[in-house]
Amino acid sequence: MHNVEKHKKQMNKPARKSRSGARGSITIKDVARYAGVSPMTVSRVVNGSQYVSDATRQTVLQAVRQLGYSPNIAARNLASARGERMGLLYGNPSASYLSEFLVGALDAATRHGVQLVLEKCELTPAASRRAVRRLVAGGVVGVVLPPPLCESAVIRAELQAARMQIVAVAAGRPPADLMCVRIDDFAAAREMTRYLLALGHERLGFIKGHPNQTASEERWRGFVSAVEEHGRLPAPRVEQGFFTFRSGLDAARKLLATEPAPTAIFASNDDMAAAVMAEAHRRVLEVPHDLTVVGFDDSLIASTIWPGLSTIHQPIAQMAGEAVDMLVTAVRGGKRGAAGEAPHRLVAHELIARESAARPKGAAD
Amino acid sequence: MHNVEKHKKQMNKPARKSRSGARGSITIKDVARYAGVSPMTVSRVVNGSQYVSDATRQTVLQAVRQLGYSPNIAARNLASARGERMGLLYGNPSASYLSEFLVGALDAATRHGVQLVLEKCELTPAASRRAVRRLVAGGVVGVVLPPPLCESAVIRAELQAARMQIVAVAAGRPPADLMCVRIDDFAAAREMTRYLLALGHERLGFIKGHPNQTASEERWRGFVSAVEEHGRLPAPRVEQGFFTFRSGLDAARKLLATEPAPTAIFASNDDMAAAVMAEAHRRVLEVPHDLTVVGFDDSLIASTIWPGLSTIHQPIAQMAGEAVDMLVTAVRGGKRGAAGEAPHRLVAHELIARESAARPKGAAD
DNA sequence: CCCCGTCTTGGTATCGCTACCATCCTCCCG
DNA sequence: CGGGAGGATGGTAGCGATACCAAGACGGGG
């Protein structure tokens, strides 16, 4: 209070609010008038400039609060040449993935004041071309590429031809010249496998992911790595899957038909893990008592079904947000970096232990 | 071509593109200069005004295409007082629901040039209050309310106190004074039940939805209605569920333990239906040969699992889009309609027949 | 042949904000 | 005690588009 008076910044108290634009909303000028400063100062306060005295800042902040001022993004974007459009090209990842992804991306977009444009795209070259054309027509300057689209060389080529900035998300093993946000699929799969081994499982089954995604191979490598570092195990049973429930069902059928059957099955994603659980039930095997099942992704189904699936969690929303951050930086910085290294960001995954994993039946308790 | 020359609109062909703002992008003025018309005319063409001659329109359109012009949304919003912020308050609907919802909402938002602000909110009064406060602080003027939040009187009250426009989506039986987009849960459930009856099922089981959602009751009423209109059936078995997989599992256990067991079970949503299938498998019942299972919502899980779940599809993205349309209309039209009837929009649902439903075992083929 | 209404088109003034520069004040150092 | 560095503030000029009004062009009725 003292500060305020000393600095002669007193609140004017005009009875009527918002009389300026007649458009109803409060503008920066209203706040300026109310706080007895210039619009520029208000702008500085709102944007966190250091060149404002504390006293003034407080006065302005109070005025903002009292008037319920919120800056007009359109004007702000216009004046500061922000508000670029960013594209989000999505294929058909699982809906739960997309959902979280959207939340994260949209949040970051709002924070940066950029607009997010969604575009759906099949994996065919023709569809890619069409999608990219639509993005270009929409004035999009950068694109976020969630899986599985980030694996498509065609789409990347199309986008690069259109001189778009690209950030791939969650590609297993991305090219070095592509900006990318991802988890370490290798380390995560290794960690999960170690977890199974630590529980005492020795007869392991593994269901691989779709061969056209590099993440599949990374997860497989992680599994193998843990098995090898443990040593002295019977050779694990392996089946090829394609990330779908159906393919998981087929794989599970084969794995459980072998004799002796695995005591733990690690599926490369949750959909397939859920299928393993379904097949186990049909064979009247209790999960986790008779069979341990774990997945990867922590997708919706993992926590929907019962017992809950132990799996690897990716902070999808956070990753999407960082991808947008990265894109904004790249676009604003204008860093068409000399074709060399592009920024890669590795975020932490997390092993979520739910009810689907336990010690094998024979094990000492 | 003749038209063009007659009207003296010839393309100037300045070699260099985009020289104005040095900000890189092409502005309306560039196009105007290139096409030899005034910026206003370009604006009219781009916005589809009727007061432009065909010849001029063509010239301008070509200029737009050649220059790759795309209007600056920020400027447009600023000049035309658009670009309002709309909120999307989401609780924890299934992720797949949210995902589709976001896609539809975001698309509509982009179309209208409004910004979409996401806000997560638990169902407690405190959390609601906080969420609403954040929305207000964010300058949001209208809110879309997907289920289950649209059922919360607390949230509605909070929002109304903040003088927000509200559109509820998919509330089963919404108050008349609330703008709303939904399907006819009653009719849909009746249709599904008739479908089961038409297949020849007579011993039916039904799992109710969460009692705090009006949609649950509507679906139940639809089921009852179809059963009654058919007449002469053994009384259906009914269990209370809560829309979760776990609750479906419990309900299924009870339903399948009765003697004689139902030949068809209608769960009030897909998660519970999936649980019924899981429980059936554990009892070594083949779906659909030994038991028919149907759900409601066509959520992700319905098409993920095998056999695929027959269910009721809601056009979620479309509904979200219409909700945003409605909100924009309400906000721009300033229709604080006299507390009476608010617009309700009923969209068509669709019965999706997948593999989980078939004639009962005993039935003549 | 004039006048007026309708179709087209162009100017001008913002919209709300920030970039940029000018200014003024304060305080420190020689 | 003067000069200068740098903090704090204000003024001005747009950003790129549309709203609104004014003004030509054109054709038909009196």
Side-chain angles (χ1 to χ4, degrees):
Chain A
M1 280 305 167
H2 286 272
N3 299 342
V4 174
E5 299 190 50
K6 188 174 93 189
H7 282 265
K8 76 174 186 309
K9 294 282 155 38
Q10 321 218 47
M11 300 289 213
N12 306 323
K13 303 254 176 171
R16 73 287 188 220
K17 299 168 65 168
S18 153
R19 49 74 132 80
S20 66
R23 278 218 235 177
S25 58
I26 316 253
T27 79
I28 201 172
K29 281 190 197 159
D30 297 316
V31 178
R33 203 161 19 229
Y34 189 87
V37 299
S38 81
M40 267 316 300
T41 301
V42 177
S43 173
R44 287 197 190 89
V45 170
V46 170
N47 292 286
S49 156
Q50 60 172 310
Y51 294 117
V52 185
S53 70
D54 277 348
T56 309
R57 186 187 310 280
Q58 291 313 318
T59 316
V60 171
L61 284 178
Q62 190 174 339
V64 165
R65 239 172 288 124
Q66 299 215 345
L67 259 35
Y69 166 74
S70 106
N72 177 318
I73 359 159
R76 178 189 298 213
N77 286 341
L78 180 56
S80 55
R82 291 213 230 90
E84 306 91 341
R85 275 189 272 216
M86 301 294 177
L88 172 45
L89 205 53
Y90 66 101
N92 50 349
S94 83
S96 53
Y97 191 92
L98 185 57
S99 161
E100 259 208 80
F101 200 93
L102 282 175
V103 171
L106 200 45
D107 183 62
T110 302
R111 225 177 30 242
H112 290 294
V114 305
Q115 201 192 5
L116 201 61
V117 177
L118 264 50
E119 195 65 61
K120 188 165 193 170
C121 171
E122 302 303 322
L123 265 174
T124 69
S128 320
R129 229 182 312 277
R130 239 175 298 130
V132 172
R133 194 155 326 140
R134 274 196 302 270
L135 286 175
V136 171
V140 164
V141 296
V143 176
V144 179
L145 233 42
L149 260 42
C150 53
E151 302 274 3
S152 157
V154 176
I155 290 181
R156 290 208 306 267
E158 286 288 334
L159 286 170
Q160 267 155 355
R163 330 197 100 247
M164 299 256 184
Q165 298 275 8
I166 311 175
V167 175
V169 177
R173 194 159 23 75
D177 65 337
L178 185 66
M179 288 190 288
C180 178
V181 181
R182 64 194 181 88
I183 63 163
D184 188 337
D185 285 282
F186 173 84
R190 191 177 51 187
E191 184 179 336
M192 177 59 90
T193 310
R194 283 176 181 160
Y195 172 67
L196 295 178
L197 293 169
L199 282 174
H201 292 279
E202 302 202 319
R203 296 200 308 279
L204 302 184
F206 187 85
I207 305 180
K208 289 187 175 182
H210 199 296
N212 75 0
Q213 284 179 238
T214 53
S216 302
E217 202 192 326
E218 291 300 296
R219 293 176 192 179
W220 165 240
R221 282 184 46 231
F223 172 76
V224 169
S225 160
V227 167
E228 287 180 349
E229 105 192 335
H230 185 277
R232 260 188 307 271
L233 285 178
R237 308 257 159 216
V238 184
E239 289 296 333
Q240 179 68 55
F242 302 91
F243 282 146
T244 63
F245 189 90
R246 191 64 217 269
S247 72
L249 216 46
D250 294 338
R253 215 158 279 169
K254 292 185 204 158
L255 288 175
L256 293 176
T258 60
E259 192 59 50
T263 61
I265 293 181
F266 181 0
S268 291
N269 79 344
D270 290 341
D271 283 4
M272 298 196 296
V276 173
M277 283 180 47
E279 177 62 17
H281 282 164
R282 140 181 280 132
R283 289 169 182 264
V284 202
L285 293 172
E286 196 77 32
V287 173
H289 187 61
D290 301 317
L291 178 70
T292 280
V293 180
V294 298
F296 202 108
D297 281 347
D298 197 24
S299 63
L300 176 70
I301 204 170
S303 47
T304 300
I305 57 179
W306 184 262
L309 194 58
S310 294
T311 187
I312 297 288
H313 176 79
Q314 309 187 38
I316 301 173
Q318 182 198 335
M319 291 166 77
E322 299 213 12
V324 171
D325 293 347
M326 208 178 257
L327 209 45
V328 169
T329 308
V331 168
R332 299 218 172 123
K335 290 191 182 135
R336 298 212 131 279
E341 298 279 303
H344 277 214
R345 176 107 169 71
L346 219 56
V347 304
H349 59 264
E350 189 186 358
L351 196 161
I352 307 282
R354 295 207 178 83
E355 299 84 16
S356 71
R359 311 181 69 82
K361 208 160 25 174
D365 220 352
Chain B
M1 277 303 167
H2 285 271
N3 300 344
V4 174
E5 298 191 49
K6 189 174 92 191
H7 282 266
K8 77 179 184 312
K9 297 282 155 42
Q10 321 219 46
M11 298 291 215
N12 305 323
K13 302 257 174 167
R16 71 287 187 221
K17 299 168 66 169
S18 152
R19 45 80 127 81
S20 65
R23 279 217 234 178
S25 58
I26 317 252
T27 78
I28 203 171
K29 281 189 195 158
D30 297 314
V31 177
R33 203 160 21 229
Y34 190 86
V37 299
S38 81
M40 266 317 299
T41 301
V42 176
S43 173
R44 286 197 191 87
V45 169
V46 171
N47 292 287
S49 156
Q50 59 170 312
Y51 293 116
V52 185
S53 71
D54 278 348
T56 309
R57 186 186 310 279
Q58 291 313 319
T59 314
V60 170
L61 284 177
Q62 190 174 342
V64 165
R65 239 172 288 126
Q66 300 215 345
L67 260 35
Y69 165 74
S70 106
N72 178 318
I73 1 163
R76 178 186 295 208
N77 286 341
L78 179 56
S80 55
R82 291 213 227 90
E84 306 92 341
R85 274 189 273 218
M86 301 295 176
L88 172 45
L89 204 55
Y90 66 100
N92 51 349
S94 83
S96 55
Y97 190 92
L98 184 57
S99 161
E100 257 207 82
F101 200 93
L102 282 175
V103 171
L106 199 45
D107 183 62
T110 302
R111 225 177 30 242
H112 290 295
V114 305
Q115 202 191 8
L116 202 60
V117 177
L118 263 50
E119 196 65 60
K120 189 167 192 166
C121 170
E122 303 302 323
L123 267 173
T124 69
S128 318
R129 229 182 314 276
R130 239 176 298 130
V132 172
R133 195 158 323 142
R134 274 197 303 268
L135 286 175
V136 171
V140 164
V141 294
V143 176
V144 178
L145 234 44
L149 260 44
C150 52
E151 303 274 2
S152 157
V154 176
I155 291 182
R156 288 209 306 267
E158 286 289 336
L159 286 171
Q160 267 155 356
R163 327 197 99 245
M164 298 255 185
Q165 297 277 7
I166 310 175
V167 175
V169 177
R173 195 160 20 75
D177 64 337
L178 186 65
M179 289 190 287
C180 177
V181 180
R182 62 190 183 92
I183 63 164
D184 188 336
D185 285 283
F186 173 83
R190 191 177 51 186
E191 185 180 334
M192 178 59 91
T193 311
R194 283 177 182 162
Y195 172 68
L196 295 178
L197 294 170
L199 282 174
H201 291 279
E202 301 202 321
R203 298 200 307 278
L204 303 183
F206 188 86
I207 306 180
K208 288 186 176 183
H210 199 297
N212 76 0
Q213 285 179 238
T214 52
S216 302
E217 202 194 326
E218 291 300 295
R219 294 176 191 178
W220 164 242
R221 282 186 45 232
F223 172 76
V224 168
S225 160
V227 167
E228 286 180 349
E229 105 192 333
H230 184 277
R232 258 190 308 271
L233 286 178
R237 309 256 159 216
V238 184
E239 288 297 334
Q240 180 69 55
F242 301 91
F243 283 146
T244 64
F245 188 91
R246 190 65 217 267
S247 72
L249 216 46
D250 294 339
R253 215 157 279 169
K254 292 185 206 158
L255 287 176
L256 293 175
T258 59
E259 192 60 48
T263 61
I265 294 181
F266 182 0
S268 290
N269 80 344
D270 289 341
D271 283 4
M272 298 195 297
V276 173
M277 282 179 49
E279 178 61 18
H281 282 163
R282 140 180 280 132
R283 289 168 181 263
V284 202
L285 292 173
E286 195 77 34
V287 172
H289 188 61
D290 300 318
L291 177 69
T292 281
V293 180
V294 297
F296 202 110
D297 281 347
D298 196 24
S299 64
L300 178 70
I301 204 169
S303 48
T304 299
I305 58 179
W306 184 261
L309 194 58
S310 295
T311 187
I312 296 287
H313 176 78
Q314 310 187 38
I316 301 171
Q318 182 198 334
M319 290 165 77
E322 298 212 12
V324 171
D325 293 347
M326 208 178 257
L327 208 45
V328 169
T329 308
V331 167
R332 299 221 170 120
K335 294 197 178 126
R336 296 212 133 280
E341 298 279 304
H344 278 214
R345 175 111 169 67
L346 218 57
V347 304
H349 59 264
E350 188 185 359
L351 195 161
I352 308 280
R354 294 205 179 85
E355 299 83 16
S356 72
R359 312 182 69 81
K361 209 160 29 172
D365 219 354

